[in-house]
């Protein structure tokens, strides 16, 4: 099974006759083949997807912290009995399904057809609604997209003709084999396409676990350097938003932007009267239109793909995109960001963490939906190792503080900062950690958290029915789930990896006389990946979907992987006692951003 996925890309199905060609995909047979091709591709990516050591360590730690551990420490004979490969623990239900799928369809063809027609009508209705809400923005955006492609493509061709060496590969026959447009061209294209793509660029820059190093490096500049808006335009927006001349509010505004980022441009300023050093974050003109058009387009594309290939529904792609769309559209309302910042500050103050971390104070009298005036934080990004060393003696400790404060907020606040990329986490000149940019936040409902806690506790004490019930609570489903049967299938998966945490690596150094022995616990990354994927797979088989609220959480864990690699490459998230998962106050006592009125 695995070896099938190792080949990538999977070969295009050859079963189509030459006459059918690409159009053959439109025939029922071609459609079936295309579908299996897509599934195989997805299967491949699920297998090669590496959650990164940080994300894995965190997930496993979460499991261990809430569990009694006894069950995980069963003798390794259990493992031998079940085989060390998780793939051997095939839940009975999967086998039954695989057999059934090839024989009798579960529904009569008429019912199935009627269902498809119903789904199609719903899809049409939703697409129409989204098209109306996108309005003329869609056409404008298309024109902008074409313009960006033509410009960047033109630059590439120009470079090719004027300096062919730089655009050709280093092959033996220069000039003959063209190097395809590389990271630099892609980055320029993203910058021209604006907000949505810059966000995507930030994702690439912040997740080296997922993307090739040359792209990660090239996209660093998306973190807060994008083409700036002229200062005159910024002044006009601030004047209009605040309803009075700038001089009445600020003593000084630096015309040189501090940063021009994906959705906003930030200028340093000084408040009139109090003389406080602040920054003014101004929403770039047209950003709402760009985000609305792009995100609607992506969402509709995913909906259509899911309709054409219902198997895709298993990936929860549409739900995840729907959530990302909603959270990004919220980002363009700075009143919400102000509330998120204040909720975070409350949490930090209430838990006595303000000597370790902070977020900027918001000045409401000069903040609106499009302008946010806040305390200026002085410091350097958490990824600037050289500068950090001049501020704090031990960057690893600072990283651990940042992680603990963030984990604490995850459990203590109603929302969590879901965009802590390199540009948004600072080491301040006084050594504290500064969190900025609370535009994108994630929400995991108390009910889902409770289910997550039950899930991890039940791993520890081997209560597989409780684990099944918790997963049912996490994954939205309309169908009744057979909990005992689901529990049995989960048990099969887990008993196959009982000694997940008992791999002890012993190494010796020195000669026979003065040998030193070091031992450490290690978790096999691939095993953990497989375990998680198997749980997701068997859950999906019972009609559950991966909880979509976890998309942003997982993205954030991947970002932390980068920080860990850079600042504390030897840090073991799983074993290090300094990394705490935070204490969660009883549900309902979280620091609710909604309690204060803007
Ligand atoms: N309070 C602050 N103090 C100092 N610098 C700040 C502050 N707020 C923002 N900045 C600077 O401005 C940059 C962009 O700000 P911010 O991240 O809030 O904008 P954005 O458009 O939401 O960015 P992103 O592209 O990260 O989503 C930051 O990376 C930082 O360099």
């Amino acid at each position: 099974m695995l070896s099938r996925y190792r080949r990538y890309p999977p070969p295009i199905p050859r079963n189509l006759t030459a006459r059918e060609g690409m159009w053959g995909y439109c025939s029922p047979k071609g459609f079936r083949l295309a579908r299996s091709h897509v599934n195989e591709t997805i299967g491949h990516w699920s297998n090669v997807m590496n959650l990164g050591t940080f994300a894995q360590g965190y997930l496993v730690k979460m499991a261990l912290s809430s569990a009694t551990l006894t069950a995980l420490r069963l003798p390794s004979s259990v493992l031998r009995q079940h085989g060390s490969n998780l793939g051997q623990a095939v839940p009975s239900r999967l086998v039954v399904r695989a057999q059934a799928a090839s024989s009798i369809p579960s529904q009569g063809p008429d019912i199935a057809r009627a269902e498809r027609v119903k789904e199609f009508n719903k899809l049409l209705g939703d697409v129409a609604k989204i098209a109306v809400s996108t309005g003329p923005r869609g056409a404008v955006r298309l024109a902008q997209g074409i313009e960006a492609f033509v410009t960047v493509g033109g630059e590439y061709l120009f470079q090719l003709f004027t300096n062919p060496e730089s655009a050709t590969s280093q092959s033996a026959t220069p000039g003959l084999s063209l190097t395809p447009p590389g990271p630099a061209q892609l980055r320029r294209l993203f910058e021209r396409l604006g907000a949505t793509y810059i966000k995507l660029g930030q994702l690439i820059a912040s997740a080296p676990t997922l993307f090739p190093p040359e792209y990660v490096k090239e996209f660093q500049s998306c973190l807060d350097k994008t083409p700036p808006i002229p200062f005159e335009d910024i002044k006009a927006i601030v004047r209009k938003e605040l309803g009075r001349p700038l001089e009445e509010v600020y003593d000084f505004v630096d015309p040189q932007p501090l940063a021009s980022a994906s959705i906003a441009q930030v200028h340093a300023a000084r408040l009139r009267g109090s003389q406080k050093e602040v920054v003014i974050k101004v929403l770039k003109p047209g950003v709402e239109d760009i985000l609305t058009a792009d995100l609607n387009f992506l969402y509709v594309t995913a909906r259509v793909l899911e309709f054409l290939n219902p198997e895709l529904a298993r990936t929860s792609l549409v739900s995840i995109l729907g959530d990302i769309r909603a959270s990004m559209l919220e980002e363009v309302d700075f009143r919400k960001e102000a509330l998120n910042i204040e909720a975070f500050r409350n949490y930090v103050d209430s838990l006595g963490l303000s000597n370790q971390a902070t977020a900027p104070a918001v000045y409401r009298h000069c903040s609106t939906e499009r302008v946010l005036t806040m305390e200026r934080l002085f410091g350097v990004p958490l990824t600037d190792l050289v500068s950090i060393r001049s501020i704090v003696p031990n960057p690893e400790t600072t990283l651990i503080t940042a992680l603990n404060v963030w984990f604490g907020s995850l459990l203590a606040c109603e929302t969590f900062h879901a965009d802590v990329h390199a540009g948004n986490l600072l080491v301040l000149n006084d050594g504290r950690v500064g969190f900025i940019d609370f535009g994108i936040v994630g929400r995991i409902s108390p009910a889902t958290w409770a289910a997550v806690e039950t899930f991890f506790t039940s791993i520890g004490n081997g209560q597989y029915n409780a684990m099944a019930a918790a997963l049912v609570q996490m994954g939205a489903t309309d169908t009744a789930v057979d909990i005992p049967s689901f529990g049995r299938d989960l048990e099969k998966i887990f008993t196959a990896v009982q000694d997940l945490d008992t791999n002890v690596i012993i190494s010796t150094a020195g000669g026979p006389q003065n040998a030193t022995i070091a031992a450490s616990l290690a978790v096999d990354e691939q095993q953990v990946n497989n375990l998680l994927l198997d749980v997701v797979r068997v859950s999906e088989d019972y009609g559950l979907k991966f909880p979509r609220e976890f998309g942003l959480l997982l993205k954030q864990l991947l970002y932390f992987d980068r920080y860990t690699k850079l600042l504390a490459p030897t840090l073991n998230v799983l074993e290090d006692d300094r990394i705490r998962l935070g204490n969660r106050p009883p549900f309902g006592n979280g620091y609710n951003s909604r309690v204060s009125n803007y």
Side-chain angles (χ1 to χ4, degrees):
M1 182 65 141
L2 273 179
S3 62
R4 190 165 71 110
Y5 291 138
R6 285 212 186 95
R7 283 175 299 129
Y8 192 80
I12 298 280
R14 301 235 168 260
N15 321 39
L16 293 173
T17 64
R19 190 173 56 80
E20 283 166 329
M22 286 307 284
W23 289 111
Y25 276 115
C26 298
S27 68
K29 174 181 158 198
F31 180 69
R32 269 198 312 278
L33 288 170
R35 207 167 88 166
S36 72
H37 183 62
V38 169
N39 288 340
E40 191 161 352
T41 308
I42 291 169
H44 165 81
W45 282 113
S46 334
N47 269 294
V48 298
M49 192 186 84
N50 188 334
L51 292 178
T53 45
F54 186 90
Q56 282 189 357
Y58 174 68
L59 292 172
V60 174
K61 188 159 185 151
M62 201 160 169
L64 299 187
S65 75
S66 56
T68 59
L69 305 188
T70 42
L72 279 173
R73 296 231 166 90
L74 284 182
S76 53
S77 55
V78 180
L79 183 80
R80 280 197 297 276
Q81 191 186 333
H82 289 270
S84 59
N85 185 349
L86 278 169
Q88 292 174 20
V90 182
S92 56
R93 168 110 183 196
L94 289 182
V95 175
V96 173
R97 244 180 76 102
Q99 286 164 350
S102 58
S103 52
I104 320 150
S106 54
Q107 295 170 307
D110 286 346
I111 301 175
R113 211 171 296 129
E115 276 296 312
R116 290 292 279 165
V117 169
K118 221 161 76 191
E119 277 168 30
F120 184 62
N121 286 340
K122 179 152 177 3
L123 176 69
L124 277 189
D126 289 350
V127 169
K129 261 191 245 151
I130 289 170
V132 170
S133 75
T134 310
R137 285 182 279 217
V140 173
R141 190 68 187 126
L142 181 65
Q144 285 172 343
I146 293 171
E147 193 251 358
F149 268 102
V150 170
T151 310
V152 176
E155 283 169 11
Y156 174 66
L157 289 176
F158 180 75
Q159 191 190 357
L160 185 66
F161 286 115
T162 54
N163 184 10
E165 303 261 309
S166 69
T168 54
S169 74
Q170 314 275 309
S171 74
T173 49
L176 286 181
S177 90
L178 281 179
T179 302
Q185 276 94 6
L186 196 63
R187 196 250 309 142
R188 278 209 294 284
L189 180 64
F190 278 21
E191 282 176 359
R192 284 202 149 259
L193 285 169
T196 327
Y197 291 83
I198 295 171
K199 282 273 170 218
L200 184 56
Q202 291 174 347
L203 174 74
I204 295 173
S206 301
T209 311
L210 288 185
F211 302 99
E214 62 275 23
Y215 283 83
V216 172
K217 191 156 169 258
E218 184 65 40
F219 280 81
Q220 293 304 313
S221 62
C222 286
L223 291 175
D224 54 21
K225 283 185 256 124
T226 57
I229 307 283
F231 185 54
E232 282 311 310
D233 296 357
I234 294 289
K235 268 191 350 197
I237 297 171
V238 179
R239 195 181 310 122
K240 185 162 168 246
E241 282 292 306
L242 301 186
R244 53 209 151 128
L246 262 64
E247 305 73 57
E248 280 187 20
V249 185
Y250 309 101
D251 246 356
F252 161 79
V253 181
D254 191 346
Q256 201 61 34
L258 206 55
S260 177
S262 62
I263 66 150
Q265 185 152 312
V266 177
H267 287 261
R270 201 176 317 114
L271 280 184
R272 194 166 194 87
S274 69
Q275 297 292 303
K276 292 231 164 88
E277 300 279 356
V278 295
V279 296
I280 316 174
K281 179 170 171 178
V282 183
L283 191 69
K284 287 183 174 176
V287 158
E288 293 120 304
D289 288 350
I290 292 178
L291 284 181
T292 308
D294 288 357
L295 295 170
N296 284 353
F297 173 74
L298 280 180
Y299 182 71
V300 165
T301 308
R303 286 285 308 271
V304 172
L305 284 178
E306 194 173 292
F307 175 77
L308 293 176
N309 179 3
E311 287 290 303
L312 277 177
R314 286 165 155 253
T315 63
S316 301
L317 183 67
V318 167
S319 312
I320 291 171
L321 270 180
D323 272 8
I324 291 176
R325 175 167 158 253
S327 62
M328 281 180 75
L329 289 178
E330 271 189 12
E331 200 190 358
V332 294
D333 183 348
F334 287 164
R335 288 170 308 181
K336 290 191 177 138
E337 178 167 350
L339 289 175
N340 296 333
I341 295 176
E342 285 172 353
F344 186 84
R345 281 175 63 85
N346 279 345
Y347 145 71
V348 167
D349 287 346
S350 316
L351 291 194
L353 301 170
S354 39
N355 60 345
Q356 297 175 29
T358 191
V362 174
Y363 296 97
R364 285 170 175 242
H365 71 282
C366 39
S367 298
T368 67
E369 193 179 333
R370 289 154 191 270
V371 169
L372 184 57
T373 305
M374 55 188 155
E375 173 190 357
R376 180 172 178 189
L377 298 183
F378 292 91
V380 295
L382 198 71
T383 44
D384 182 353
L385 195 52
V386 177
S387 307
I388 291 177
R389 284 214 172 102
S390 68
I391 302 177
V392 290
N394 187 354
E396 184 177 289
T397 315
T398 309
L399 173 71
I400 290 171
T401 305
L403 294 176
N404 284 339
V405 172
W406 186 83
F407 286 137
S409 78
L410 187 65
L411 300 173
C413 300
E414 228 181 49
T415 57
F416 62 92
H417 191 318
D419 199 20
V420 193
H421 62 63
N424 289 341
L425 203 47
L426 309 174
V427 178
L428 305 184
N429 291 347
D430 59 11
R432 289 184 301 164
V433 178
F435 288 80
I436 56 172
D437 191 7
F438 286 74
I440 297 186
V441 290
R443 274 181 200 83
I444 294 185
S445 70
T448 308
W449 268 128
V452 171
E453 286 177 6
T454 313
F455 173 72
F456 283 126
T457 311
S458 50
I459 296 179
N461 53 27
Q463 299 287 331
Y464 295 102
N465 281 359
M467 193 189 294
L471 282 168
V472 170
Q473 194 173 349
M474 278 187 244
T477 177
D478 306 332
T479 47
V481 175
D482 179 350
I483 302 273
S485 155
F486 187 18
R488 280 193 298 280
D489 285 346
L490 287 171
E491 188 174 355
K492 282 181 191 147
I493 293 175
F494 278 87
T495 46
V497 282
Q498 292 296 359
D499 64 351
L500 189 64
D501 69 335
T502 56
N503 281 338
V504 179
I505 298 171
I506 297 177
S507 55
T508 54
Q513 305 306 320
N514 58 349
T516 51
I517 299 179
S520 67
L521 278 178
V523 172
D524 179 343
E525 277 192 31
Q526 196 55 45
Q527 247 193 344
V528 180
N529 276 346
N530 288 347
L531 174 71
L532 293 173
L533 288 171
D534 273 1
V535 171
V536 171
R537 270 187 214 124
V538 72
S539 305
E540 286 167 349
D541 205 61
Y542 281 88
L544 309 179
K545 288 179 182 170
F546 180 70
R548 62 193 203 181
E549 302 135 300
F550 290 0
L552 285 172
L553 185 62
L554 200 59
K555 185 191 86 173
Q556 194 49 58
L557 294 180
L558 287 168
Y559 281 10
F560 285 142
D561 209 27
R562 166 156 190 246
Y563 298 133
T564 315
K565 281 198 177 101
L566 192 78
L567 299 181
T570 53
L571 182 76
N572 187 332
V573 179
L574 177 64
E575 284 176 47
D576 202 309
D577 289 340
R578 291 170 300 170
I579 297 176
R580 296 182 306 269
L581 297 174
N583 293 317
R584 183 178 174 73
F587 290 118
N589 286 354
Y591 299 92
N592 188 345
S593 56
R594 275 177 243 142
V595 291
S596 56
N597 290 317
Y598 192 75

